[in-house]
Amino acid sequence: PEVGLKILKKLNFKKSHTIISFISTIKMSKLKELINLNKKIVRAIPLPPIALGKGPVPIYPKNTKVKNFFNKIGECIEIKNEDLSLNFWATSSLMASYYEFLSTISKWLQQKGLAKELSEKYTTSLFNALSEASFSKNTKDLDKLVKHSQTPNGLNEQTLKYLKKSGFYKELNISLNKILKRLK
């Protein structure tokens, strides 16, 4: 963001250009001010998995050309107003936390005697499969997935109850709200 603020004023754009900003913390009004042209500007947040041709690419405002471009490398999600788009930017802050979650699980398996290569393979394979299952066309409701992934008095129920009781999910919400506040 700091670099963007410095260089955007120096860049020259043609009237025919559509400008796509990947800078999550510079809002549309500031972009228009810095670019100083009446241009089509779209804010987008392509995340690293698009290198695999997977993952969402939220854009604001709606733009058919930009949508068609990003649909070739991910799944474009058009957002109707900038304030709503900030929620998507906030949730993108969970990448490192997600990988830390996987790393913690893998390291736990290693402490229990599993080789690093096998523990990482198991962990990433498990969570890849869980993610794909949550994205399947049969899955319409994440709350139902939570419910159906537990058996009464089962292992999943025990872990979920513990994490809820410990405040894990409450802290996750607090963190997302802090990121959202920073973006506003």
Side-chain angles (χ1 to χ4, degrees), residues 1-177:
E2 295 81 22
V3 174
L5 289 171
K6 290 178 185 175
I7 66 168
L8 276 172
K9 291 180 183 179
K10 299 175 186 177
L11 298 176
N12 293 315
F13 299 101
K14 295 180 181 176
K15 289 195 179 220
S16 60
H17 287 153
T18 297
I19 299 162
I20 303 172
S21 172
F22 298 152
I23 306 171
S24 64
T25 56
I26 300 179
K27 289 185 168 186
M28 187 66 77
S29 58
K30 185 67 175 177
L31 286 169
K32 287 180 178 181
E33 177 188 315
L34 291 168
I35 292 168
N36 199 24
L37 278 176
N38 190 9
K39 303 277 314 127
K40 288 182 185 175
I41 302 173
V42 177
R43 295 182 68 205
I45 186 162
L47 300 173
I50 66 165
L52 304 170
K54 295 184 178 227
V57 183
I59 67 167
Y60 167 77
K62 292 180 177 186
N63 182 297
T64 302
K65 269 188 185 178
V66 175
K67 176 184 177 181
N68 291 339
F69 171 78
F70 282 121
N71 274 337
K72 293 176 183 171
I73 58 175
E75 185 174 350
C76 188
I77 298 173
E78 294 180 301
I79 305 162
K80 62 182 176 182
N81 71 56
E82 190 169 27
D83 283 342
L84 287 177
S85 75
L86 299 179
N87 297 307
F88 291 89
W89 272 249
T91 58
S92 74
S93 73
L94 295 173
M95 284 189 300
S97 300
Y98 174 74
Y99 292 134
E100 180 66 21
F101 187 76
L102 297 180
S103 179
T104 299
I105 294 165
S106 176
K107 287 175 183 169
W108 183 86
L109 287 169
Q110 291 168 48
Q111 291 169 353
K112 303 302 176 208
L114 198 61
K116 180 179 180 178
E117 182 181 321
L118 290 176
S119 67
E120 288 184 351
K121 182 178 182 177
Y122 172 80
T123 302
T124 56
S125 178
L126 171 63
F127 283 88
N128 182 54
L130 291 171
S131 291
E132 285 188 25
S134 73
F135 197 68
S136 79
K137 301 234 184 282
N138 298 331
T139 305
K140 304 279 191 241
D141 185 334
L142 292 176
D143 289 333
K144 286 182 182 175
L145 264 182
V146 173
K147 183 179 178 182
H148 294 304
S149 66
Q150 304 171 66
T151 52
N153 299 313
L155 304 176
N156 281 284
E157 182 184 73
Q158 180 180 341
T159 297
L160 181 62
K161 280 182 177 179
Y162 177 80
L163 290 175
K164 282 183 172 183
K165 187 176 179 181
S166 73
F168 180 85
Y169 299 103
K170 190 181 283 187
E171 291 297 321
L172 178 59
N173 276 297
I174 289 169
S175 178
L176 287 169
N177 285 326

